[in-house]
Amino acid sequence: MYDILEIIEKKNNQGALNKGEIDYAVMGYVNNEISDDDMTLLLKAIMINGMSDKEIIDLTDIMLHSGEVLELDFDSVDKHSTGGVGDKTTIVLAPLVAALGVKVAKMSGRSLGHTGGTIDKLESISGFQTKMTLEEVQDQVDDIGVAIVGQMNNLCPADKKIYALRDVTGTVKSIPLIASSIMSKKLASGASKIVIDLKVGNGALMTNMEDAKELARIMVKIGHLNGKDTICVLTNMDEPLGNAVGNSLEVIESIETLKGNGPSDLNDLVINFGSLMLSLDKNMAMEDAIEYMENALKTGVGYEKFKELVKFQHGDINDIKVSSRTKEVLSSESGYIKSINALKIGELARKLGAGRLKKDDVIDSTVGFVLHKKVSDKVEVGESLVTVYYNDKEVTDEEILSCFEFSKSVVSKPILIYEIIR
């Protein structure tokens, strides 16, 4: 018989936990036999002292099998993002690759961060339904090749309960806990192949490259050990992705991207991730996959598929509301944009109401920002940097301007993709 206090002490002393000890702690907490206080002590010990690969693999397996593991009756490719400011990639990517024959059964989450998660963003489309049964998901993917739904209640209950505790105890930024949380959900969702967008930068969970590479390495290892082709791509999150930050605004930008009118960084990311998904699913050479993706964006086939997706999930694509109250924030300097602080932009979007501080906070999907300048762009004094969409909460021009750094000399475009780890 195990004892939770002995397990906590062992980890505090940098000891390696065996699978039985981890199972006792995790399932004891799920079954309300271990208190929030004791689990918090264990999570903090893990955060401080880390875990070996074997411990992380065991923890992932226990969380994976704490609930139902889906068995889809088709091969699918799942794309996951660790999240960032303005990250609407899934909304563009899923219908686009589905239009090219890749089956996508995507389970996405809400967010407790700066702006909503993919589910929050899609729910800014009037009527859009994100709650579906496994049978409904399978039927929809059989019919149109794509479904984007919220996490089903019976998947990874251990992760759900532990994540909620991590969020309120300052134990979110732990590589073992992040890796096991992400991979248990990905493995439980039944995808045949997994592509992970691991954001790195001031607006991301991973703020430095060393930690990002370590997280990528262990997630890829877990995927391969479970028989899943897994690729992790390290991407830049030092400035917001695309121009729109805020739920409805990001959906509108996604639609424009699917019509071929998207911002260059979002286009490039979608093409790169779509090419990886195509190459995994179709055994296609990367150069051919890139050509397919570029043509698909130009022809608008992804937009037609997105309209199908919205219709099947009972949304009205013509009813996406944004606030009628707007203001322009003008540049105080001439020169070039040297940097845009993604974290600050995200926090200001949340201040407007675009994100949550607590799980029960209600998101205002109509507010946010549209950036008119990105890093390396030239700007003149008095030129508009940002359009602010707001309702009852406001941000000052000074707060917005503090997110921008200017340079008198030419600035290079930032690298978008740092590294691909397989």
Side-chain angles (χ1 to χ4, degrees), residues 282-417:
K282 306 294 183 188
N283 265 333
M284 188 183 292
M286 273 298 289
E287 54 267 29
D288 294 334
I290 288 170
E291 187 177 343
Y292 268 78
M293 288 297 299
E294 289 174 342
N295 288 335
L297 272 181
K298 288 174 188 172
T299 60
V301 294
Y303 176 58
E304 294 305 315
K305 184 60 67 176
F306 185 67
K307 287 197 292 186
E308 277 190 283
L309 170 69
V310 172
K311 183 178 178 181
F312 265 70
Q313 294 187 222
H314 311 292
D316 181 354
I317 201 167
N318 297 309
D319 190 0
I320 306 170
K321 294 181 174 63
V322 298
S323 176
S324 60
R325 301 181 71 186
T326 65
K327 71 172 182 177
E328 301 298 318
V329 178
L330 308 181
S331 179
S332 57
E333 298 187 35
S334 293
Y336 298 86
I337 305 296
K338 185 177 180 181
S339 69
I340 304 173
N341 190 305
L343 178 60
K344 280 188 178 181
I345 290 285
E347 288 172 341
L348 290 176
R350 179 166 59 189
K351 186 177 177 181
L352 287 176
R356 297 183 181 89
L357 283 169
K358 305 186 297 296
K359 280 191 181 296
D360 56 357
D361 285 348
V362 177
I363 281 179
D364 184 347
S365 65
T366 69
V367 301
F369 308 120
V370 174
L371 280 61
H372 304 302
K373 298 291 180 180
K374 299 291 292 285
V375 172
S376 81
D377 286 348
K378 190 174 183 180
V379 63
E380 302 292 341
V381 170
E383 198 172 356
S384 179
L385 289 177
V386 179
T387 302
V388 182
Y389 291 75
Y390 66 98
N391 285 315
D392 56 324
K393 301 170 184 174
E394 296 186 46
V395 295
T396 66
D397 289 11
E398 290 72 22
E399 286 176 305
I400 298 288
L401 289 171
S402 72
C403 301
F404 288 79
E405 187 179 359
F406 300 87
S407 170
K408 292 300 182 186
S409 54
V410 174
V411 175
S412 299
K413 270 191 174 294
I415 294 170
L416 186 63
I417 294 176

Side-chain angles (χ1 to χ4, degrees), residues 156-323:
C156 297
D159 173 65
K160 286 182 186 175
K161 188 167 184 183
I162 290 172
Y163 188 88
L165 184 65
R166 284 169 59 204
D167 184 68
V168 296
T169 55
T171 52
V172 170
K173 292 188 177 184
S174 160
I175 288 173
L177 299 176
I178 295 168
S180 57
S181 175
I182 289 172
M183 293 308 295
S184 62
K185 290 195 288 283
K186 295 298 103 181
L187 295 169
S189 66
S192 315
K193 301 169 180 68
I194 302 166
V195 179
I196 299 170
D197 180 1
L198 203 170
K199 302 291 187 191
V200 189
N202 66 57
L205 200 57
M206 293 288 103
T207 55
N208 69 78
M209 191 60 68
E210 184 181 352
D211 287 347
K213 286 183 177 180
E214 175 58 20
L215 177 58
R217 181 194 66 78
I218 189 62
M219 289 195 295
V220 168
K221 183 175 182 177
I222 291 168
H224 289 165
L225 285 173
N226 283 273
K228 310 288 186 183
D229 282 339
T230 305
I231 298 174
C232 198
V233 185
L234 307 184
T235 66
N236 187 339
M237 189 34 71
D238 277 330
E239 71 170 333
L241 180 63
N243 300 328
V245 178
N247 299 280
S248 291
L249 294 168
E250 290 186 43
V251 172
I252 291 167
E253 182 169 78
S254 298
I255 289 170
E256 287 304 306
T257 303
L258 285 165
K259 290 178 176 179
N261 305 317
S264 60
D265 57 346
L266 180 57
N267 278 338
D268 290 348
L269 205 63
V270 165
I271 288 167
N272 276 280
F273 274 99
S275 302
L276 285 170
M277 294 171 78
L278 272 177
S279 65
L280 279 175
D281 191 63
K282 306 294 183 188
N283 265 333
M284 188 183 292
M286 273 298 289
E287 54 267 29
D288 294 334
I290 288 170
E291 187 177 343
Y292 268 78
M293 288 297 299
E294 289 174 342
N295 288 335
L297 272 181
K298 288 174 188 172
T299 60
V301 294
Y303 176 58
E304 294 305 315
K305 184 60 67 176
F306 185 67
K307 287 197 292 186
E308 277 190 283
L309 170 69
V310 172
K311 183 178 178 181
F312 265 70
Q313 294 187 222
H314 311 292
D316 181 354
I317 201 167
N318 297 309
D319 190 0
I320 306 170
K321 294 181 174 63
V322 298
S323 176

Side-chain angles (χ1 to χ4, degrees), residues 15 35 97 115 127 138 149 158 286 335 390 402 414-415:
S35 70
V97 296
T115 58
Q138 289 183 323
V149 298
M286 273 298 289
Y390 66 98
S402 72
I415 294 170

Side-chain angles (χ1 to χ4, degrees), residues 100-141:
L100 298 177
V102 178
K103 290 188 181 296
V104 181
K106 180 79 180 83
M107 269 176 277
S108 293
R110 301 186 185 280
S111 176
L112 201 63
H114 315 113
T115 58
T118 297
I119 293 302
D120 298 302
K121 292 169 188 177
L122 287 171
E123 285 180 347
S124 68
I125 303 171
S126 178
F128 194 96
Q129 298 296 310
T130 58
K131 290 183 179 179
M132 296 172 68
T133 66
L134 173 60
E135 291 74 20
E136 288 169 337
V137 170
Q138 289 183 323
D139 288 346
Q140 182 169 313
V141 176

